[in-house]
Amino acid sequence: MALRNIRIQGDPLLEKKCKEVKEMTDRTSGLIDDMFETMYNAEGVGLAAPQVGVLKRICVIDVTEEKNSPLCLINPVIEEYSEETQTGWEGCLSVPGKSGTVTRAEKVKVRYQDRNMQFAEIEGEGLLARALQHEIDHLDGQLYVRLAEGGLVDNSELEEE
Ligand code: NI
């Protein structure tokens, strides 16, 4: 495993639509291992393949404090959004040091393929639902900044509040 460089906002790769993964290869499996290592190392709760420069529909998520619930989603599709919404602070490893307030669905149901390319489904709410929506947006070249109400603030300002 190895750490990968995280692309920063302004990098054109972050605005591209990613391609479906058709089969699991050693190369893709290695990419997923590296994505987990890179996410945990950066203390993020999610990371999408384009953030490490690979235009494939893959993201990794772990929203637990203990960092013991790694979730890898390949070709994820949001099938259901709750009408109920949540509004809260959001950040992104590709937009370091900043946060913004984003309103998203409180719950989502996502269909995806796991590392064995088996179809699976996950229902998330709260932070997990937020992470799923944020990471899947990355696969379509979308950063949360376009959704941030009132723009971005420096994290140092947040901590002072
Ligand atoms: Ni992000």
Side-chain angles (χ1 to χ4, degrees), residues 118-145:
Q118 297 301 303
F119 282 96
E121 230 170 38
I122 185 167
E123 285 187 52
E125 64 177 291
L127 180 58
L128 177 56
R130 177 177 294 282
L132 286 163
Q133 291 167 84
H134 177 117
E135 299 311 330
I136 293 170
D137 275 353
H138 271 298
L139 306 182
D140 291 316
Q142 301 288 349
L143 296 182
Y144 83 96
V145 297

Side-chain angles (χ1 to χ4, degrees), residues 5-75:
N5 284 329
I6 297 176
R7 306 285 175 128
I8 302 302
Q9 185 184 18
D11 188 313
L13 254 74
L14 292 173
E15 293 170 22
K16 297 224 188 312
K17 198 170 162 73
C18 296
K19 290 208 168 77
E20 288 224 347
V21 178
K22 297 226 165 69
E23 57 174 356
M24 186 52 56
T25 61
D26 287 348
R27 191 183 168 90
T28 299
S29 187
L31 166 68
I32 293 167
D33 289 340
D34 290 352
M35 286 172 63
F36 275 116
E37 189 176 350
T38 303
M39 175 184 76
Y40 287 128
N41 180 69
E43 297 181 359
V45 298
L47 186 71
Q51 292 182 273
V52 294
V54 180
L55 294 175
K56 289 183 175 167
R57 301 189 78 80
I58 302 172
C59 52
V60 296
I61 290 175
D62 189 343
V63 297
T64 62
E65 291 267 327
E66 303 78 14
K67 299 297 170 200
N68 59 5
S69 296
L71 180 63
C72 171
L73 302 106
I74 299 169
N75 304 326

Side-chain angles (χ1 to χ4, degrees), residues 135-161:
E135 299 311 330
I136 293 170
D137 275 353
H138 271 298
L139 306 182
D140 291 316
Q142 301 288 349
L143 296 182
Y144 83 96
V145 297
R146 98 204 130 95
L147 301 171
E149 296 142 29
L152 303 187
V153 300
D154 282 332
N155 288 344
S156 58
E157 287 173 45
L158 275 184
E159 283 153 16
E160 282 164 19
E161 274 174 16

